[in-house]
């Protein structure tokens, strides 16, 4: 039997891999639908489980003894060393393509300035728009590759990726093309979202409707024609886009075949959750200020809430979204990082799990389901990723932990020991196998 022990980044790709010696194989197998209520806590863990992978697909998942009978001579054995193995995280809300950083604003907030005040003074999203307009696609890809590595080393294998720092046709297309290039040239998978309505650019300040028309009549047709996005998002908020403007843009996006996501009720109760329900959006994101009526509307329309506690934390607020009320109302909650250079400069889902548990009182199991299988469903990929089940893409992580709860419990460290994307080693903490 020719079995290679331990993984190597530069290994020749074996056709089959067997992952053995897991302390917990956290499969998240279950009903083929987003998880709600008590199902959110069912991680379908196999103690001493094993998994067989053929090329980029999961071939079998089960008890070590069962899987061992399927291992043939050409199979590469991956010894998990009594560690936890689980699906790669799916981060369903990120802004990962931008130029420059905003550490200066971070410092201003430590001195008491608010996110809104900084934005009103020409900083915030507009500061990143200025830098991004001056960057080439190559510059954006170069920066994006650095962030892609951060996602992978924190155990994330798929991200939703928004444009939104261009706000002209050519600059929005440039960002979406950079996302496409990153998808082709990194091990991370990107699901692109057009966010031309992230802010009103300063040159349209006194002509808002003209900018809305530009998004609808010029940007959306180009984005759809070049097939550069699967979703369209709008930042629906006081001083940004009104619910009426968001309705116009999202209705047009739907006519182009795009799915809908909304930045809703983040800084104030702006009506975004109700709008998401009215439009049957896939998701309503943020929801820090959503009220009971908004939550009920999301439930009746089966909209998935995407909660982003990293942005609450990084803005120094304590106004976290009401995750428990949403779970009690039967919503299929998703957790994501909101990675961006302003409100949430973290690519770490484990940090997000920690915040969800300590600040929003989600259990570790609920948080993990929200950042894997539920996130996958929110991106229309519930039958492809988000759990370890036969036929799914072999995106999995061996975490340096023996109990899945450690992912939310130990915070501020990088848990992954090995990360596999589509059956290939995408990140290894070290090369020694230790
Ligand atoms: O999701 N709220 C709008 N967009 C981002 C922030 C983007 C930025 O500050 O650059 C968010 O928090
Ligand atoms: Fe966001």
């Amino acid at each position: 039997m020719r079995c290679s022990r331990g993984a190597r980044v530069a290994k020749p790709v074996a056709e089959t891999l067997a992952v053995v010696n897991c302390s917990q194989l956290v499969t998240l197998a279950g009903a083929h639908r987003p998880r709600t209520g008590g199902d959110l806590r069912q991680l379908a863990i196999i103690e001493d489980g094993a998994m067989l992978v053929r090329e980029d697909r999961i071939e079998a998942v089960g008890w070590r003894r069962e899987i061992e009978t399927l291992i043939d001579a050409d199979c590469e054995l991956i010894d998990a060393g009594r560690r936890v193995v689980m699906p790669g995280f799916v981060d369903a809300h990120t802004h990962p393509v931008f130029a420059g950083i905003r550490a200066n604003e971070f410092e201003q907030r430590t001195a008491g300035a608010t996110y809104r005040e900084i934005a009103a003074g020409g900083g915030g999203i507009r500061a990143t728009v200025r830098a991004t307009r001056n960057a080439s696609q190559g510059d954006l890809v170069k920066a994006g590759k650095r962030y892609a590595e951060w996602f992978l080393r924190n155990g994330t294998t798929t991200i939703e990726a928004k444009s939104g720092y261009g706000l002209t046709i050519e600059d929005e297309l440039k960002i979406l093309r950079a996302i496409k290039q990153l998808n082709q040239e990194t091990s991370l998978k990107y699901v692109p979202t057009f966010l031309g309505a992230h802010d009103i650019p300063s040159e349209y300040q006194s002509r808002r409707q003209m900018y809305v028309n530009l998004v609808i009549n010029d940007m959306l047709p180009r984005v759809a024609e070049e097939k550069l996005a699967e979703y369209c998002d709008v930042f629906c908020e006081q001083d940004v886009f009104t619910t009426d403007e968001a309705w116009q843009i999202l209705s047009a996006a739907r006519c182009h075949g795009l799915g809908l996501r909304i930045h809703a009720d983040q800084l104030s109760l702006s009506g975004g959750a109700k709008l998401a329900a009215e439009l049957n959006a896939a998701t309503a994101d943020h929801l820090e200020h959503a009220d009971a009526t908004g939550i009920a509307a999301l439930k009746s329309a089966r909209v998935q809430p995407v909660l982003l506690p990293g942005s609450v934390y990084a803005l120094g607020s304590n106004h976290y979204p009401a995750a428990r009320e949403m779970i009690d109302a039967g919503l299929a909650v998703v957790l994501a990082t909101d990675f961006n250079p302003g409100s949430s400069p973290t690519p770490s889902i484990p940090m997000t799990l920690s915040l969800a548990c300590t600040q929003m009182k989600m259990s570790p199991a609920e948080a993990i389901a929200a950042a894997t299988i539920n996130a996958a469903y929110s991106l229309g990929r519930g039958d492809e990723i988000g759990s370890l089940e036969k036929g799914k893409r072999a995106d999995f992580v061996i975490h340096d932990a023996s109990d899945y709860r450690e992912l939310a419990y130990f915070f501020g460290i990088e848990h992954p020991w090995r990360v596999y994307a589509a059956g290939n080693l995408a990140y290894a903490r070290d090369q020694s196998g230790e």
Side-chain angles (χ1 to χ4, degrees):
M1 193 198 254
R2 188 176 65 76
C3 289
S4 49
R5 284 206 175 258
R8 294 284 182 276
V9 174
K11 70 180 167 42
V13 179
E15 232 186 51
T16 52
L17 307 172
V19 188
V20 297
N21 200 21
C22 315
S23 64
Q24 296 176 332
L25 187 65
V26 181
T27 69
L28 286 118
H32 294 189
R33 57 168 184 261
R35 308 293 155 76
T36 56
D39 286 350
L40 263 171
R41 291 174 183 254
Q42 305 305 323
L43 299 186
I45 295 171
I46 307 176
E47 307 278 344
D48 202 17
M51 180 169 74
L52 193 69
V53 169
R54 184 175 302 279
E55 293 175 352
D56 64 336
R57 297 283 136 184
I58 297 172
E59 178 132 318
V61 178
W63 303 112
R64 178 170 57 90
R65 293 242 170 86
E66 287 165 5
I67 300 301
E68 274 172 359
T69 63
L70 306 173
I71 295 175
D72 63 22
D74 294 328
C75 179
E76 178 181 336
L77 269 192
I78 300 168
D79 183 346
R82 305 303 300 163
R83 294 180 176 88
V84 167
V85 178
M86 66 169 65
F89 293 122
V90 178
D91 192 339
H93 183 136
T94 84
H95 307 248
V97 174
F98 54 85
I101 60 165
R102 307 214 306 264
N104 56 332
E105 295 182 4
F106 175 72
E107 187 178 29
Q108 286 166 17
R109 289 202 303 273
T110 65
T114 67
Y115 182 78
R116 269 187 168 155
E117 284 164 5
I118 291 169
I125 293 171
R126 285 187 197 154
T128 301
V129 167
R130 285 192 293 276
T132 306
R133 285 179 177 178
N134 284 326
S136 66
Q137 182 177 328
D139 296 334
L140 296 176
V141 168
K142 186 168 176 233
K145 284 187 175 171
R146 178 168 177 243
Y147 304 135
E149 208 239 323
W150 291 359
F151 281 105
L152 287 165
R153 63 190 295 144
N154 281 285
T156 297
T157 46
T158 299
I159 64 171
E160 183 259 11
K162 302 176 196 295
S163 66
Y165 292 119
L167 312 186
T168 67
I169 301 180
E170 286 312 320
D171 289 306
E172 285 297 306
L173 292 175
K174 176 177 73 182
I175 296 170
L176 290 169
R177 289 180 191 133
I179 292 171
K180 185 173 178 183
Q181 194 180 338
L182 286 161
N183 191 44
Q184 288 161 351
E185 295 179 6
T186 73
S187 304
L188 190 62
K189 282 274 163 259
Y190 291 72
V191 180
T193 293
F194 169 59
L195 179 56
H198 196 191
D199 202 354
I200 309 267
S202 29
E203 63 274 20
Y204 280 93
Q205 205 54 33
S206 54
R207 306 173 291 156
R208 305 174 58 89
Q209 188 58 42
M210 283 187 74
Y211 186 69
V212 172
N213 293 346
L214 182 77
V215 171
I216 293 173
N217 299 326
D218 297 273
M219 294 190 193
L220 269 170
R222 287 289 297 281
V223 168
E225 193 189 342
E226 285 195 41
K227 297 194 184 345
L228 285 170
E230 292 184 31
Y231 290 92
C232 179
D233 191 346
V234 174
F235 186 12
C236 182
E237 184 62 63
Q238 258 178 35
D239 306 329
V240 196
F241 291 93
T242 64
T243 48
D244 178 54
E245 291 163 341
W247 185 90
Q248 296 176 46
I249 293 166
L250 293 168
S251 305
R254 191 161 51 194
C255 294
H256 286 287
L258 299 181
L260 310 182
R261 315 179 90 80
I262 306 183
H263 279 70
D265 302 324
Q266 177 185 9
L267 305 170
S268 61
L269 178 56
S270 54
K274 278 201 247 169
L275 180 66
E278 195 185 316
L279 288 169
N280 269 304
T283 65
D285 302 42
H286 279 287
L287 302 171
E288 287 85 333
H289 291 82
D291 61 4
T293 320
I295 292 174
L298 295 179
K299 166 70 180 155
S300 3
R302 295 173 176 233
V303 179
Q304 286 191 258
V306 180
L307 308 183
L308 309 162
S311 65
V312 182
Y313 170 78
L315 291 179
S317 160
N318 56 12
H319 203 129
Y320 287 88
R324 285 255 62 88
E325 280 87 329
M326 294 181 199
I327 292 170
D328 292 348
L331 298 186
V333 169
V334 177
L335 282 170
T337 61
D338 195 15
F339 176 67
N340 74 71
S343 65
S344 194
T346 179
S348 172
I349 287 283
M351 179 66 195
T352 308
L353 303 179
S354 168
L355 290 170
C357 294
T358 59
Q359 308 301 307
M360 288 150 57
K361 302 299 173 207
M362 290 175 72
S363 74
E366 289 171 335
I368 285 169
T372 52
I373 189 71
N374 275 10
Y377 274 107
S378 86
L379 293 173
R381 283 163 168 73
D383 52 4
E384 174 74 0
I385 51 175
S387 65
L388 301 179
E389 293 179 275
K390 184 175 163 55
K392 283 199 168 181
R393 196 163 74 216
D395 290 353
F396 62 94
V397 181
I398 306 174
H399 289 284
D400 193 9
S402 56
D403 180 317
Y404 74 88
R405 291 171 297 194
E406 292 177 44
L407 280 129
Y409 162 72
F410 286 117
F411 69 97
I413 62 162
E414 288 178 357
H415 299 271
W417 179 70
R418 296 286 186 269
V419 178
Y420 286 80
N424 289 310
L425 186 62
Y427 167 74
R429 178 183 289 181
D430 56 60
Q431 293 295 298
S432 67
E434 295 306 312

